[in-house]
Amino acid sequence: MGRPSKYPPEFRREAVALVKSSDRGVAEVARSLEIAEGTLWHWVKADREAAERNADPTALSESERDELKRLRKKTAQQEIDLEILRKAAAYFAKETIR
């Protein structure tokens, strides 16, 4: 398990709300709150993903989409490998019959 957060959940929610309700960018809000810009970016991204999941509970998260893309690519490569092995088996089967 990771280390405990140094920012309470209420602070996180308020920081994200500030980004969403103001016309200031994440970097500017992060500077005004004296937190790391990357930290606030992660909070905003997590809030956006949570909102998307709540809007459509069956929708895939970004990490799930990345994993699905990786697995599809791996499956395609395995199908190519399998086809090569089938052709090699057929070739060698002909050789043993002669």
Side-chain angles (χ1 to χ4, degrees):
M1 211 148 138
R3 65 178 174 80
S5 174
K6 100 182 199 185
Y7 302 106
E10 183 178 321
F11 177 78
R12 291 175 179 219
R13 283 192 299 274
E14 289 176 6
V16 170
L18 187 59
V19 170
K20 290 166 69 175
S21 66
S22 71
D23 58 347
R24 302 182 324 176
V26 172
E28 187 177 343
V29 172
R31 277 192 301 274
S32 70
L33 295 174
E34 298 180 355
I35 60 175
E37 182 180 340
T39 299
L40 186 54
W41 271 114
H42 288 297
W43 297 349
V44 170
K45 180 181 173 185
D47 179 71
R48 188 179 322 118
E49 288 178 351
E52 289 174 2
R53 276 192 307 275
N54 291 339
D56 184 7
T58 60
L60 297 176
S61 70
E62 185 176 335
S63 62
E64 290 172 327
R65 283 191 298 272
D66 290 343
E67 181 179 11
L68 182 59
K69 183 178 177 182
R70 181 186 63 80
L71 291 173
R72 285 182 174 163
K73 186 176 180 179
K74 183 177 180 179
T75 300
Q77 182 60 48
Q78 288 174 338
E79 288 174 355
I80 291 169
D81 294 346
L82 183 60
E83 186 59 30
I84 291 170
L85 291 173
R86 283 186 181 132
K87 288 179 180 179
Y91 174 80
F92 287 114
K94 288 180 192 175
E95 289 292 316
T96 57
I97 295 175
R98 290 182 187 173

